[in-house]
Each structure stands twice: as C-alpha cells, then as structure tokens.
Amino acid sequence: MASYNMTWLSYPSKAFTSPEEIEDVIASQNIISRFMHCYITFFVPTGLIAGTCILIVFVKNYLQHKVIENLDLLLLHFTISNIIMILLSFTVITRPDYLTVTHLACNVLSFFFNYGYFNSQYVFILTLLILLLKRFPPRTALCKTTQRPILGVGIVLTYTFCLSLAEAVLVGTDNYHLETDCQLDPLFARPEYEIVKFTFGFGIPLFLQVLCFIVLLAKEAPADSPALGQHICTYPAVYVISTTMFICRLFYNIMILFRATLKLQKSTGTTKNELVMNIAEIVLFCESCASLVFILCLHKPCKDEILKVIQTCRRKTTASNHLEIPETTAPHESRSQ
C-alpha cells in the first residue's frame, strides 16, 4: 500500500482547461448546489427533529419502566449513529466547493463518518437478527445475544471501530499538515479504501440481510408463532428502513467502486463523474434522515407517544373552544320587564 502515491489526484472541476469544460463545470455546480440546498433545507431539520424525539421517547420510557426492550436498545443505537451521520453531513454546506482543511483533519472527519456509517449498518443487521429470532425462538448460543443485546452492541462497536481505523490507515498520513479539498470519503485515499468500504460496508451486510430474509420467508415458523404478515406489520419500521437503506446505499457504493476503478486506471474522471459522486453522498445522508422519520412514525412506542401528544393538543384546543361565555340580558328583554 505504501507504493501508492495519490498526490496526482484532483477534482475535475478544479482542473478544467477548455471552454466546453467550463460550461460543464458551471452546469454541474448548479445541480449539486440545488441538491445541497434541498437537503439542508428539508432533510436535515426533519432528521434532527425526528432523532431528538426518538431519544426523548426512549429515555422517557426507560425512566418510567426502568427497563428498555431489546429492539428499542438497538434502534436507540441506530438512531445515535444516524444523528452522527447527519451532523457530519454539514460538511456539504460548502458545495459546490469542498471543505478546505488539512489532510489530518480530513482523515479524522472520515474516521467518524465511517464509524457512524458502519455502526448504523451492522446494528441494523443485529436488529434484523433479533426480529428473526423472535419469530424462530433459538435453541443455541444465540439465546445469549437475544437475551443480552448489550453484548451484541458492544461487539458491533468494537468491530466497526476496527473497520474505521483500518479505513483511516488506508486514507494515509502523507502530507498530513498540508491543506486539501476534503470530502468525507477523501479523494486522496488509496483505492483499497473504497474496496474495503464496499466489501465490509455493503457487500457483507447485504449478504447477511438477504440471508435473514430468506430464512424469514422460507423457513416454517413454529405453530405458536404469529403469521408472517402479522409479524411484518408488528415491526414495519425495520422492514421499511431495510428497503430504503438498500436502495440508497446501493447507489452510493456503486459510485464508491467506480471511483476506485478510476484511481486504479490513473484517471481523475470527468465533471459528470464528480457530480454523480456528490449526489450519491447526499442521497446517503438523506437515507439517514428518512430512517429516523420512519422509526418515529412507524415504531410502536414512538408512534403511540406521538398520538398521545396529538390527542392532548386536541383536547386543549377543544377545551379552549368550549369555554363558557357569560350570558348577557338583551336590551329589549330588560325594557319589557
């Protein structure tokens, strides 16, 4: 890996020469600027509000009952990981330009971004496993995982920390004091960075996710287990998020692999390649926001709490509209008396 020298890399939008390329750059920057403004205006506030409400609901339920359900614990972890992703997404505010920081600072930002990215992916796989074992009660050592999900969370945290650290190494420490144009997936990272991220951040999780769904659909459940349709309707948030994550992360990881291919070919790509990579990055952040909204609106404890708040507001509004108005005697009645 030390043989790779990535200092020759630069963004196509920073190295245009002909008038035609200038027009392409302007058009590309207009598009990415609109995507960025749409994301910052609509998705970020919605995602942060939803994430904050989820945290309040889970903390409130824990303080009331002094216990937290296994699924709620995993979704709490998933929520925190996605909030971290949303906060780090503020680096796109400078688009169509890039954040200008040192190589070291860019590597640190990339580390925390990958930590949130891997965390959300693997804790979601653990969530699917918990739901699978709810339908098919385990008779093996997996019982320990279902009965003590904190153990599974600890394993996920340790594993994703090691993956993020490995990615930080692949970004490299050369020229750490020099300033650079920074993305959360640094352009100056070695090609192995994208390959490892695709393999461990999408390929392996996708295989595990598909395996869970195959078992869920193909295996015959015990007689006392609820029907498949009822099981899915009981946990709609998880299955909706699963679909959303697959679609958004597929697009993002395709572009990650494409970038690695360009690096191996000693090419910087075109302005359109850069544009699509920027869009894929923002789509990934949109998925984090959407996932939090789905948890808030579809997960039963959160949904019930929202309904309680709405009902309380309606009662207060109804009560204020039915305040008794003091009766007054009409003028003609007082004269007739």
Side-chain angles (χ1 to χ4, degrees):
M1 291 184 291
S3 61
Y4 279 108
N5 180 6
M6 310 307 294
T7 55
W8 56 271
L9 277 171
S10 64
Y11 288 101
S13 61
K14 302 282 187 178
F16 55 85
T17 54
S18 65
E20 293 80 8
E21 289 177 328
I22 295 176
E23 292 179 1
D24 289 340
V25 169
I26 293 173
S28 173
Q29 289 183 342
N30 285 336
I31 295 172
I32 194 59
S33 179
R34 290 173 185 173
F35 267 89
M36 183 273 293
H37 282 102
C38 179
Y39 169 71
I40 294 295
T41 304
F42 298 106
F43 284 88
V44 169
T46 304
L48 290 178
I49 291 171
T52 303
C53 292
I54 294 167
L55 295 179
I56 292 172
V57 171
F58 285 157
V59 170
K60 179 183 176 182
N61 289 344
Y62 176 75
L63 293 176
Q64 286 179 345
H65 306 291
K66 298 302 179 183
V67 66
I68 184 168
E69 294 289 335
N70 295 349
L71 181 61
D72 290 351
L73 176 63
L74 297 177
L75 289 179
L76 176 62
H77 184 176
F78 182 76
T79 298
I80 293 172
S81 296
N82 279 286
I83 290 176
I84 292 173
M85 293 272 287
I86 295 172
L87 293 177
L88 287 171
S89 73
F90 279 104
T91 56
V92 305
I93 288 179
T94 56
R95 303 292 164 81
D97 203 355
Y98 296 95
L99 191 66
T100 303
V101 296
T102 63
H103 281 70
L104 179 61
C106 190
N107 200 347
V108 171
L109 287 172
S110 177
F111 171 83
F112 285 107
F113 167 61
N114 285 322
Y115 197 43
Y117 177 83
F118 289 129
N119 247 313
S120 62
Q121 184 69 71
Y122 281 96
V123 78
F124 189 75
I125 296 298
L126 187 58
T127 304
L128 286 176
L129 179 61
I130 293 293
L131 292 188
L132 187 66
L133 296 178
K134 279 180 177 290
R135 182 163 169 78
F136 305 101
R139 298 182 179 85
T140 64
L142 285 173
C143 288
K144 294 182 179 179
T145 305
T146 56
Q147 293 171 0
R148 298 174 58 192
I150 193 68
L151 176 64
V153 170
I155 293 173
V156 167
L157 287 171
T158 305
Y159 177 63
T160 54
F161 176 82
C162 294
L163 284 177
S164 303
L165 194 61
E167 288 288 76
V169 171
L170 292 173
V171 171
T173 57
D174 299 336
N175 305 316
Y176 66 91
H177 59 288
L178 299 179
E179 288 192 340
T180 183
D181 294 319
C182 179
Q183 265 184 298
L184 292 177
D185 289 308
L187 180 67
F188 55 85
R190 299 181 178 96
E192 294 93 343
Y193 172 91
E194 285 88 359
I195 295 171
V196 169
K197 187 161 189 175
F198 175 85
T199 303
F200 291 93
F202 185 73
I204 293 176
L206 178 62
F207 170 77
L208 296 174
Q209 187 171 331
V210 170
L211 190 61
C212 285
F213 279 109
I214 289 175
V215 174
L216 179 67
L217 297 174
K219 187 176 179 180
E220 185 177 354
D224 56 343
S225 297
L228 178 60
Q230 183 181 350
H231 173 80
I232 294 175
C233 290
T234 306
Y235 310 103
V238 176
Y239 296 107
V240 172
I241 290 172
S242 178
T243 304
T244 306
M245 286 182 69
F246 170 73
I247 294 172
C248 296
R249 298 200 176 201
L250 175 64
F251 176 41
Y252 170 77
N253 279 275
I254 287 174
M255 294 311 302
I256 284 287
L257 268 189
F258 183 71
R259 177 190 271 189
T261 303
L262 290 175
K263 289 180 181 180
L264 292 172
Q265 294 173 350
K266 301 295 183 180
S267 170
T268 58
T270 65
T271 305
K272 290 182 180 179
N273 300 146
E274 182 183 354
L275 167 64
V276 178
M277 183 67 223
N278 277 282
I279 292 174
E281 186 181 34
I282 293 178
V283 168
L284 178 69
F285 295 137
C286 290
E287 176 261 309
S288 295
C289 300
S291 295
L292 296 181
V293 173
F294 291 143
I295 293 175
L296 183 64
C297 297
L298 299 177
H299 186 50
K300 191 175 186 305
C302 299
K303 182 172 65 174
D304 291 346
E305 197 65 32
I306 292 175
L307 292 176
K308 286 181 184 178
V309 172
I310 294 174
Q311 290 173 357
T312 302
C313 293
R314 283 180 177 175
R315 287 170 188 165
K316 289 182 180 179
T317 304
T318 304
S320 62
N321 290 337
H322 288 81
L323 288 175
E324 293 186 2
I325 302 175
E327 293 184 1
T328 56
T329 305
H332 69 275
E333 290 179 352
S334 60
R335 283 196 296 267
S336 64
Q337 293 176 354

